[in-house]
């Protein structure tokens, strides 16, 4: 897991990207370069730029959670909120828009994007209130909406997402993105502030209908989306929008980058690798059970060599209980419930590469073929009840099997590892 996280070190990814000859030429020939970094990896991405930039930046703005220990000289930091935006998120979005508007026709706005930027940089559209936007995000999270659904709605409630930041820029826009979404769709990463948006107000309304029904959401939000669907509000910039012809974006790291890092480390330790190419999505508890099924099939094909099974993606949790946990802890608990079917020497884990799993202080959890026996010895008679109550944190905290990394400064989704033999 450490090797996987090191492989997606955000500073190194930016440094590597700045070695591109065409990008170097563009930055060197620009009249000015302004940098906006937003997301959980904003601080290391700024440091990566500062260490490898061919020219000094006129301004550097960082937007992220908390206050980083170190920042490049001259950088201005906007601490913001995640996963639910607050007034700090609005201030951060206003700053990003102001920087974009200050870029001259011969200047370049370099946008460094990573997971979490959608909440960290939020400015409601029109007369919508932040409270309405925040409540909508909370309800979507509770309903198990995936990242694509979340961002479809977010983009149509925002004055900065869905390409609007790029439209505000007076010059060229270059975006380097560390992807935390399955498929690495640039329009989905951080709700695509600098790229065209193919979704519509009508699709945003459809998401509300699927995730509990429109009546569940703030009336002002439903009215705004309905007005947009009827043509009363300007749509987000689409792929053929001429205002985006000077905006280019590139993914510089993602979930497969992390898998490659873990794979190299496992091979060096003598493991035979079975990497699951299909992204792990859907409900976390179902994904965990399905991973054990895949591992069972793969283990039948192995010889005496130990096997390392790697998977990655992003799952969801449908909150029906009253416990504490996150999607990685639920995935790990679901694996633990059936791990004994794989034999006597198996260990598995699921971790968020950002070091944060749900509203907890853990990144994920580890299980092995002794987990259920140790749980029983600790007085946990029915582990399934913890899963049913969305209380995986309590289960693993009791056993001492939570994985705590602290914030890692990067974010490419989730990683699952199963070691057999």
């Amino acid at each position: 897991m450490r090797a996987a996280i090191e492989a997606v070190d955000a500073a190194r990814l930016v440094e590597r990207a700045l070695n591109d000859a065409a990008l170097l030429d563009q930055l060197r020939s620009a009249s000015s370069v302004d940098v906006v970094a937003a997301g959980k990896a904003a601080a290391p991405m700024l440091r990566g730029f500062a260490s490898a930039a061919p020219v000094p930046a006129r301004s550097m703005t960082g937007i992220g959670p908390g206050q980083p220990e170190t920042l490049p000289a001259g950088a201005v930091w906007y601490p913001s909120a995640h996963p639910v935006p607050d007034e700090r998120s609005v201030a951060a979005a206003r700053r990003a828009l102001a920087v974009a508007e200050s870029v001259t026709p011969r200047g370049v706005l370099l946008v460094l994007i990573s997971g979490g930027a959608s909440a960290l940089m939020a400015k409601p559209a029109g007369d919508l209130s932040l409270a309405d936007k925040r409540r909508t995000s909370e309800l979507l999270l509770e309903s198990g909406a995936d990242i694509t659904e979340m961002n479809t709605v977010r983009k149509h409630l925002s004055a900065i997402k869905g390409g609007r930041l790029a439209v505000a820029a007076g010059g060229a826009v270059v975006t380097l993105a560390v992807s935390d979404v399955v498929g690495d769709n640039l329009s989905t990463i951080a709700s695509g502030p600098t790229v065209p948006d193919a979704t519509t107000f009508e699709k945003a309304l459809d998401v509300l209908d699927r995730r509990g029904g429109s009546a569940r959401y703030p009336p002002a939000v439903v009215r705004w989306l309905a007005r947009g669907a009827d043509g009363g509000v300007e749509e987000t910039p689409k792929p053929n929008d001429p205002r985006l012809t000077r905006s280019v974006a590139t993914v510089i790291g993602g979930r497969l980058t992390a898998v490659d890092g873990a794979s190299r480390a496992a091979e060096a330790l003598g493991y035979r690798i079975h990497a699951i190419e299909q992204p792990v999505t859907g409900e976390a508890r179902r994904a965990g059970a399905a991973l054990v099924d895949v591992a069972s099939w793969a283990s039948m094909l192995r010889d005496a060599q130990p096997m390392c099974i790697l998977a990655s993606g992003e799952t969801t949790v449908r909150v029906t209980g009253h416990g504490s946990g996150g999607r990685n802890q639920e995935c790990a608990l679901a694996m633990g419930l059936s791990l004994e079917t794989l034999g006597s020497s198996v260990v598995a884990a699921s971790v968020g590469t950002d070091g944060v799993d749900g509203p907890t202080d853990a990144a994920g959890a580890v299980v092995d073929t002794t987990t259920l026996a140790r749980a029983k010895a600790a007085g946990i008679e029915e582990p399934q009840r913890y899963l049913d109550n969305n209380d995986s944190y309590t289960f693993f905290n009791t056993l001492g099997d939570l994985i705590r990394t602290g914030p890692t400064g990067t974010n490419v989704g989730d990683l699952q590892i199963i070691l057999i033999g």
Side-chain angles (χ1 to χ4, degrees), residues 303-330:
D303 48 24
Q305 186 180 12
M307 176 175 283
C308 173
I309 296 170
L310 297 169
S312 60
E314 184 170 275
T315 59
T316 57
V317 171
R318 187 179 298 276
V319 179
T320 58
H322 304 285
S324 178
R327 61 180 185 255
N328 285 284
Q329 293 161 60
E330 285 216 357

Side-chain angles (χ1 to χ4, degrees), residues 31-320:
S31 61
S32 62
V33 176
D34 293 274
V35 183
V36 172
K40 294 179 181 179
M45 292 183 86
L46 276 180
R47 292 195 292 267
F49 168 81
S51 68
V55 294
R58 183 178 67 166
S59 70
M60 286 187 287
T61 300
I63 299 166
Q67 183 67 42
E69 293 183 3
T70 58
L71 283 172
V76 179
W77 183 258
Y78 280 72
S80 193
H82 183 276
V84 180
D86 64 14
E87 291 297 339
R88 295 171 296 170
S89 308
V90 177
R94 287 176 176 155
R95 165 69 179 184
L97 287 166
V99 171
E101 291 165 357
S102 75
V103 177
T104 61
R106 292 187 54 246
V108 171
L109 174 65
L110 179 63
V111 182
L112 306 175
I113 287 290
S114 56
S118 192
L120 293 161
M121 191 169 59
K123 184 176 184 296
D127 58 358
L128 289 172
S129 71
L130 179 61
D132 285 339
K133 195 170 184 291
R134 184 165 53 218
R135 182 58 180 154
T136 301
S137 295
E138 290 172 345
L139 290 169
L140 288 170
L141 283 169
E142 289 174 9
S143 70
D146 62 31
I147 189 66
T148 300
E149 292 173 316
M150 292 285 295
N151 287 346
T152 296
V153 175
R154 283 169 169 168
K155 283 186 280 191
H156 288 89
L157 303 179
S158 174
I160 191 170
K161 298 175 175 62
R164 297 191 189 278
L165 179 61
V167 167
V173 180
V174 176
T175 302
L176 303 178
V178 176
S179 173
D180 66 329
V181 301
V182 171
D184 297 340
N185 186 329
L186 281 158
S187 182
T188 303
I189 302 168
S191 301
T194 62
V195 297
D197 172 36
T199 69
T200 63
F201 279 102
E202 188 174 354
K203 289 181 179 178
L205 278 173
D206 289 342
V207 172
L208 300 192
D209 289 337
R210 287 196 305 273
R211 297 299 180 179
S214 295
R216 187 179 182 219
Y217 294 87
V221 166
V222 178
R223 286 195 301 270
W224 176 264
L225 295 179
R227 182 179 161 197
D230 289 339
V233 179
E234 183 184 12
E235 261 291 1
T236 49
K238 302 307 173 196
N240 59 351
D241 195 311
R243 295 173 295 177
L244 296 182
T245 55
R246 297 189 65 193
S247 181
V248 296
T250 305
V251 173
I252 60 174
R255 67 180 184 89
L256 295 181
T257 315
V259 169
D260 287 344
S263 179
R264 288 192 298 271
E267 285 180 334
L269 293 169
Y271 286 91
R272 176 183 173 187
I273 308 301
H274 177 76
I276 301 172
E277 294 184 7
Q278 187 73 14
V280 176
T281 58
E283 287 199 52
R285 63 186 62 190
R286 294 183 180 178
L291 284 169
V292 174
D293 288 342
V294 172
S296 179
W297 170 82
S299 66
M300 290 189 295
L301 303 179
R302 76 180 185 92
D303 48 24
Q305 186 180 12
M307 176 175 283
C308 173
I309 296 170
L310 297 169
S312 60
E314 184 170 275
T315 59
T316 57
V317 171
R318 187 179 298 276
V319 179
T320 58

